[in-house]
Amino acid sequence: MQATQANGFDGNGEALAIVNQIVGVVDDILPGEPPFGDREIHVSLDDRAKAVPGVWWEKQDHDAEAYRIVLSNRADAWYMVIFEGFCRTMPLSPTNSRGVRKESRLWQDMAFQLSHELAHVKLGPARSNLQLEVLATAVSLEALSRLERMWKEQPPRITQGYFRAKQSFRKYHELLITSAHEELPRSEDFKVPGQADLQREKLLHHSRRHVDQLRLWHPRSRAWQMIAADCLLGELRTNDQQWGELIGLGLHTYPSAWDEKHYRDDLSLVSDVVPVWWPEWLK
């Protein structure tokens, strides 16, 4: 895969180079051609408050020449990212209600979002469901880990902020997981022992029925997906070949993405394509 456009970022050329490094990492994680073919990738930044990251998938996208990916973030701050030093703390970073400036994680957020959407390209962007969202999130977490190793040796550009960047991948990962645990309902909602006494896999199992009733983008569903993806990483890292088994998995619904071409997120995977190594809480 290769990105040929990075629209909405100030400093388009620099942004496109960074985007293609992330594309290369996802290609390494999920080696092989996407189920709808190897096309150009057009990435656009949408800085509206309610913008939602995603792969555009309308009827015409089945036969299009490019995959259209939209990311959500503040376009004005990207000028500082690209021209004033990639990975630096932004002078334009958001402030809380008391006016205290918070650390900006724009570059990390972009890498996470883009990896997630590229994973959907490999899974099959015409479909999503809870399982596919967990898998795409696992790819995002793995991409952050691999970017850390890669950028220690070959950063996208040498800047004053680079030394901070190579130490912040794990912290960002930990922040995502901590936030997810805080978002999940308390364990008494599921009539099980105290959450602190449970292994995460048990928490995922007991909360699955509740999460299945939520829309994919509900905060509690997103939190469950994040924790599930983090748990699944251990299994995937023990056998790299398992990553390749995920390519095209999203095509296998009823009706399939070939029979019904528009996007749907309300269909389960057919049972005979679910890998045997998946944990019970994900099946």
Side-chain angles (χ1 to χ4, degrees), residues 36 59 62 126-127 251 253-262 264:
F36 289 104
K59 190 173 182 180
H62 271 260
R127 296 286 186 268
L251 299 181
T253 60
Y254 183 80
S256 76
W258 300 115
D259 297 328
E260 189 177 275
K261 293 188 174 182
H262 64 270
R264 292 189 62 175

Side-chain angles (χ1 to χ4, degrees), residues 135-146:
L135 297 173
T137 302
V139 171
S140 294
L141 295 175
E142 177 65 10
L144 290 178
S145 178
R146 297 193 187 194

Side-chain angles (χ1 to χ4, degrees), residues 29 60 88 97-98 114 154 184-185 204 220 232 253 260:
I29 297 171
Q60 65 268 27
R88 292 178 64 180
S97 59
R98 293 175 296 174
L114 180 56
Q154 188 180 6
L184 273 184
L204 292 168
R220 286 185 173 182
L232 195 63
T253 60
E260 189 177 275

Side-chain angles (χ1 to χ4, degrees), residues 80-107:
M80 306 303 297
V81 175
I82 293 167
F83 287 106
E84 296 297 329
F86 187 68
C87 307
R88 292 178 64 180
T89 300
M90 301 302 115
L92 297 176
S93 61
T95 58
N96 62 22
S97 59
R98 293 175 296 174
V100 178
R101 197 180 308 281
K102 297 184 292 184
E103 182 182 2
S104 173
R105 300 181 184 273
L106 288 173
W107 67 276

Side-chain angles (χ1 to χ4, degrees), residues 55-70:
V55 183
W56 282 98
W57 201 256
E58 299 172 359
K59 190 173 182 180
Q60 65 268 27
D61 288 297
H62 271 260
D63 301 313
E65 296 181 353
Y67 297 108
R68 300 180 294 153
I69 294 177
V70 61

